[in-house]
Amino acid sequence: MNAPFDPGRAPVDLRAAEKVSCLRCCLRELCAPHPGEFSPADKAFLRSLVKEQNIRLRRGQNLFHAGDPFRNLYAVHTGAFKSVLIGSDGRELVSGFSFAGDMLGLDSIGDRRHPSHAVALDDGGVCVLPYSHVEKTAARVALVQRQLSRMLARELRQHQEFAVALGIRSAQERLATFLFNLSRRFAGRGFSSTRLRLPMSRTDIASHLALTAETVSRTFTQLEREGVIRVSAKTVEIVDSAGLSERANLAPVPLQASRA
Amino acid sequence: MNAPFDPGRAPVDLRAAEKVSCLRCCLRELCAPHPGEFSPADKAFLRSLVKEQNIRLRRGQNLFHAGDPFRNLYAVHTGAFKSVLIGSDGRELVSGFSFAGDMLGLDSIGDRRHPSHAVALDDGGVCVLPYSHVEKTAARVALVQRQLSRMLARELRQHQEFAVALGIRSAQERLATFLFNLSRRFAGRGFSSTRLRLPMSRTDIASHLALTAETVSRTFTQLEREGVIRVSAKTVEIVDSAGLSERANLAPVPLQASRA
DNA sequence: CGCCTGATTTGATCCATGTCAACTCCCGCG
DNA sequence: CGCGGGAGTTGACATGGATCAAATCAGGCG
């Protein structure tokens, strides 16, 4: 039923020449902010960052658990993952979703322990980057060091924006923003930006947006009635992209004025 | 009226020997995670990070504006600052407060542009660390590099937790958490952990916690009625620290059960 | 000292979202 | 092919915090 689109599959065959493909795929974030910026020598360093390639996980399996000692960063190779943050009071919250090319474990650098679970939402694979090794390489390859800082800083910015979103925005704005961002992220990976397969459950989305599953469901329905998206189980089609981003950002003061 | 306590003044006289004091104060975060970890040579590097010392700002002045190109990190020397994040939709939100010893500008590393204003809440001063210089030093002094990553990662974690808080927690939990954290931060700086002078307005607090000023005010009153704190203008006294942290964390499910 | 202006508090009311509950849909399995 | 169970949807109702409005307070200034 949702066969026409499958973001679980990478746009190029990553298994053919893994060393090379990692440079183009998994480690994109770490390595290729500005393509061509690397010398062959740099690339040698980068390739050496990866210890184990394409570790396989089945849907539902944990890549790591909250509380586990932090030793590696992981680059998502295939599939999708959710990060489940365990709050200081024990409450769980889905802090983010990761797809091919994303880095997992960055939030653990601070205290050498994973603050969150990483759970596979689909069968998938990851590459392993021993962090000690990354640090050492960063010390020698300035670009890697800079890029590491940048990745952290970017994630920081994202969480900042995210905090704003959770605090201020309405359910519709949050969901629209969520879809909008997913669309952008998929597009950046070569997938359709209008036809999204959401590998996570409504409950996961709800948790991520700090809403209830009921509200998420209602808001999906609402966006559908307004002709912005079409929903069919796990697949969402963005019908009116402009309308979506309108609903995502909205005016500075989203009062009842905007409902007329 | 609030003379007995003045967190605006540093616990030691920082102006006496600024080079040295910076190592103990402003750059604490960057430099002294584990005291004694530095060789004299390391320290020389560290000292050289600071370009201008103790730049002065008057209350209300901006250290930098959102959109300004990012060139420096700043270590707060004296006083207090708020960071005002400009969301993608133009809405403003106070993303954090910084006190002596805190670093400002970390969230700008990602895109070389400040995403937020930094505004002085009191007269104060900062030290300037040209980021290019920090990067170069990090490349030579492994500890600095590691510490830079750690600072970023820690801030990341904080924002993560914070997002959770904003999304899930009640007004009372948020305010209690806020006071609790401030108390800890002040304590770490050698100030009283029970008698806090809040240099920011209620509106700032409200914005930071994603509440309205009215709700913040009401919640202060409520906590006071419950005998947890005593409020007098800008000064808050924590009367029942245990009660406060109880209200900050709360049970996994803060349902009506907890109201009986 | 008393005024003036902005900050804070307090009160009354409204609304978005949570909560609880029932129903439907989908998918794997016997 | 029908069954069962979990995920998703929908409805009715409750409520925390927002909103609007007004009173009070604080602090600088004539």
Side-chain angles (χ1 to χ4, degrees), chain A:
Chain A
M1 183 141 289
N2 47 31
F5 177 66
D6 179 12
R9 196 171 49 78
V12 295
D13 186 354
L14 294 167
R15 264 145 281 171
E18 294 199 321
K19 289 262 179 195
V20 175
S21 72
C22 264
L23 283 178
R24 301 172 65 212
C25 145
C26 304
L27 303 182
R28 193 164 38 89
E29 288 214 313
L30 183 63
C31 312
H34 308 106
E37 213 177 342
F38 288 97
S39 71
D42 284 341
K43 285 188 186 164
F45 280 124
L46 294 173
R47 234 172 261 133
S48 73
L49 286 178
V50 178
K51 188 172 133 212
E52 295 175 83
Q53 294 193 346
N54 207 7
I55 299 289
R56 293 297 184 161
L57 286 105
R58 312 294 303 271
R59 155 197 268 257
Q61 257 190 307
N62 278 55
L63 176 57
F64 50 78
H65 290 266
D68 285 356
F70 165 63
R71 275 190 272 272
N72 307 305
L73 293 175
Y74 301 90
V76 178
H77 185 286
T78 330
F81 291 78
K82 66 174 173 183
S83 296
V84 183
L85 185 65
I86 312 299
S88 44
D89 55 1
R91 276 180 276 200
E92 294 192 355
L93 178 136
V94 174
S95 64
F97 300 100
S98 308
F99 304 97
D102 290 333
M103 199 64 81
L104 272 168
L106 287 174
D107 58 359
S108 317
I109 291 177
D111 52 4
R112 303 276 153 176
R113 209 155 266 282
H114 291 289
S116 50
H117 308 299
V119 185
L121 294 169
D122 281 320
D123 294 0
V126 299
C127 295
V128 182
L129 292 78
Y131 184 64
S132 60
H133 200 161
V134 172
E135 272 191 323
K136 262 181 278 170
T137 306
R140 285 187 299 179
V141 186
L143 193 58
V144 171
Q145 176 213 313
R146 202 152 51 230
Q147 199 48 27
L148 190 62
S149 296
R150 247 182 239 170
M151 276 168 53
L152 279 166
R154 175 144 41 90
E155 196 141 320
L156 180 60
R157 288 287 325 276
Q158 265 173 22
H159 279 278
Q160 253 184 8
E161 270 289 335
F162 191 62
V164 179
L166 292 192
I168 294 185
R169 301 189 156 180
S170 69
Q172 194 181 65
E173 287 176 285
R174 291 184 214 184
L175 189 60
T177 303
F178 174 68
L179 292 174
F180 193 71
N181 286 339
L182 268 192
S183 166
R184 274 201 294 116
R185 289 172 76 185
F186 282 168
R189 279 161 182 75
F191 297 123
S192 167
S193 66
T194 57
R195 201 179 173 75
L196 320 176
R197 189 185 146 263
L198 309 182
M200 71 293 285
S201 72
R202 297 291 134 106
T203 306
D204 286 336
I205 298 174
S207 168
H208 182 55
L209 301 179
L211 297 169
T212 58
E214 291 94 326
T215 300
V216 168
S217 177
R218 275 188 258 269
T219 308
F220 266 123
T221 308
Q222 190 184 342
L223 285 174
E224 190 163 30
R225 269 201 306 266
E226 295 177 9
V228 176
I229 59 174
R230 249 182 313 155
V231 185
S232 150
K234 298 239 170 236
T235 304
V236 173
E237 191 177 349
I238 298 177
V239 176
D240 174 5
S241 175
L244 186 67
S245 78
E246 218 170 86
R247 266 155 256 254
N249 277 319
L250 267 189
V253 187
L255 300 176
Q256 45 274 60
S258 66
R259 315 180 65 223

Side-chain angles (χ1 to χ4, degrees), chain B residues 137-157:
Chain B
T137 306
R140 285 186 300 178
V141 186
L143 193 58
V144 171
Q145 176 213 312
R146 203 152 52 229
Q147 200 49 25
L148 190 63
S149 296
R150 250 183 236 170
M151 277 168 52
L152 279 166
R154 176 145 40 91
E155 195 140 318
L156 180 60
R157 287 290 322 279

Side-chain angles (χ1 to χ4, degrees), chain A residues 86-92, chain B residues 164 168-170 172-174 176-177 242-260:
Chain A
I86 312 299
S88 44
D89 55 1
R91 276 180 276 200
E92 294 192 355
Chain B
V164 179
I168 294 185
R169 300 187 157 183
S170 71
Q172 193 180 66
E173 286 176 285
R174 290 183 215 185
T177 304
L244 186 67
S245 79
E246 218 170 84
R247 268 156 255 255
N249 277 319
L250 270 187
V253 188
L255 299 177
Q256 43 274 61
S258 65
R259 314 181 66 223

Side-chain angles (χ1 to χ4, degrees), chain B residues 107-118:
Chain B
D107 57 0
S108 316
I109 291 177
D111 52 4
R112 303 277 154 173
R113 210 156 266 281
H114 290 289
S116 50
H117 307 300

